[in-house]
């Protein structure tokens, strides 16, 4: 049992958003930020921001607000992204290759350490781009997971293969799956799954457009 | 001014999640669903579900719950996805090609109608896969937006080009942008932006893993 038990999930989600806002402030060389400023862009009240950060034992300094570099470090420590952690990717198709090229992961504390596919034409090849990685066969996953102490995997395979591959990932020792396949995954209670639903954002845009214009 | 004015944004977000759950029930041929069942998978109380749906004038039937096909239709109508709407895509790189191949959009009421790029080597080519589309030059966007009455565009270009391309999309008549570039976009108040932050989900997984294991 861990520290997240009594913290509402939405507060955890907002931590990532606070971190984005803090990093934007740091990029502009601001040294402090008020709870109002931290909440403004996110549409949250200053009271909500203070309450969220208090869950994690973070309190602003009266008359100063939060010290930006300090709070960035603390939020990263809470999220577990203060140290670079290695993740693997299964699926070297178009989406997989886009994810390999995506620079945002490294910036956020994640290093893509290994790529897997089951297509014999792809296995053994190197990926393109600046972050060149060898593509391994799925059967190599358990050994590589152990060797690099990898706990998180990104699943970017077709929907029809997703459940089977997820089970292989879990068997190999993966404990967190970022799922891009548009199907729900059945995994044990000791495995966390975050699903990226690309269509959900389009629905939200659709709602907004239908609301403001007849 | 429209109907969304008094509805909290999180309730709108949850509509998409209710819709997923309803569709899963419909796939299993369930005809009714209770507010408890609707909230269960999402970790929401039945009271929260009833409150959310009441914002949109949807009420369950005492002793029956919600009728699944009826509620699906109503939620789609609220979201504006009951009719197929055409969207465009800018950026025919790896991510763009993955999005073209993604079948989930059509299932959710979105038809990818046109693809744009500014790379002369790509312009004029056809995309691969079952959904073959011609890649147009960015300069053709205003005419195509008008011709197909497109209001939503997906932005899948490198971060360095995103702001410039977003401005061209707005000038062409686009009113909603699904942004995959890892940079915030500056657009006017009459344009909605939804940003897909791929790293945020990894952070959430990282938090969960750090919370349950030492």
């Amino acid at each position: 049992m861990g520290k997240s038990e009594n913290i509402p999930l939405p507060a955890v989600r907002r931590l990532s958003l606070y971190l984005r806002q803090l990093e934007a402030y740091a990029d502009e060389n601001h040294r402090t930020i008020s709870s109002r400023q931290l909440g403004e862009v996110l549409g949250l009240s200053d009271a909500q921001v203070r309450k969220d950060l208090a869950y994690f034992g973070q309190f602003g300094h009266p008359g100063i607000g939060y010290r930006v570099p300090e709070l960035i470090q603390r939020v990263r420590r809470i999220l577990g992204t203060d140290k670079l952690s290695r993740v693997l990717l299964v699926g070297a198709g178009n989406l997989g290759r886009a994810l390999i090229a995506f620079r945002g992961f490294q910036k956020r504390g994640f290093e893509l350490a290994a790529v897997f596919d089951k297509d014999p034409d792809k296995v053994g090849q190197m990926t393109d781009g600046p972050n060149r990685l060898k593509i391994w066969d799925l059967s190599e996953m358990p050994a590589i997971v152990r060797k690099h102490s990898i706990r998180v995997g990104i699943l970017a395979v077709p929907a029809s293969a997703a459940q089977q591959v997820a089970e292989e990932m879990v068997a190999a020792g993966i404990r967190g799956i970022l799922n891009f396949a548009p199907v729900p995954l059945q995994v044990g209670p000791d495995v966390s799954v975050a699903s990226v639903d690309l269509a959900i954002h389009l629905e939200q845009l659709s709602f907004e457009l239908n609301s403001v214009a007849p």
Side-chain angles (χ1 to χ4, degrees), chain A residues 23 35 48 62 66 100 106 113 120 133 139 145 170 180 195 208:
Chain A
E23 288 168 336
S35 47
Q48 180 73 66
Y66 298 92
I100 293 164
Q106 180 99 18
L133 290 164
S139 62
V145 164
V170 172
F180 280 91
S195 289
E208 288 179 39

Side-chain angles (χ1 to χ4, degrees), chain A residues 124-138:
Chain A
Q125 303 291 312
M126 299 294 287
T127 63
D128 302 325
N131 188 13
R132 300 197 72 188
L133 290 164
K134 186 177 161 187
I135 301 171
W136 298 90
D137 187 79
L138 276 181

Side-chain angles (χ1 to χ4, degrees), chain A residues 55-94:
Chain A
Y55 281 122
F56 304 98
Q58 308 308 320
F59 304 98
H61 306 280
I64 297 176
Y66 298 92
R67 292 200 177 89
V68 172
E70 180 186 300
L71 191 53
I72 287 176
Q73 280 314 307
R74 292 203 175 190
V75 172
R76 284 187 183 154
R77 204 176 311 143
I78 295 166
L79 290 170
T81 59
D82 52 331
K83 292 178 293 268
L84 210 59
S85 62
R86 296 196 185 94
V87 300
L88 62 78
L89 167 74
V90 185
N94 281 321

Side-chain angles (χ1 to χ4, degrees), chain A residues 164-194:
Chain A
Q164 165 74 26
V165 171
E167 287 168 19
E168 293 186 50
M169 291 166 81
V170 172
I174 291 297
R175 285 296 165 264
I177 298 177
L178 179 61
N179 175 32
F180 280 91
V183 287
L185 300 177
Q186 310 294 329
V187 293
D190 54 339
V191 180
S192 299
V193 175

Side-chain angles (χ1 to χ4, degrees), chain A residues 109-167:
Chain A
F110 302 97
E111 182 196 357
L112 195 53
V115 180
F116 299 86
D117 204 289
K118 61 178 178 185
D119 178 352
D121 289 344
K122 287 179 184 159
V123 170
Q125 303 291 312
M126 299 294 287
T127 63
D128 302 325
N131 188 13
R132 300 197 72 188
L133 290 164
K134 186 177 161 187
I135 301 171
W136 298 90
D137 187 79
L138 276 181
S139 62
E140 311 273 3
M141 192 158 40
I144 290 173
V145 164
R146 261 197 312 278
K147 185 177 160 199
H148 295 293
S149 307
I150 301 174
R151 295 166 71 206
V152 172
I154 303 172
L155 183 56
V157 302
S160 57
Q163 178 63 35
Q164 165 74 26
V165 171
E167 287 168 19

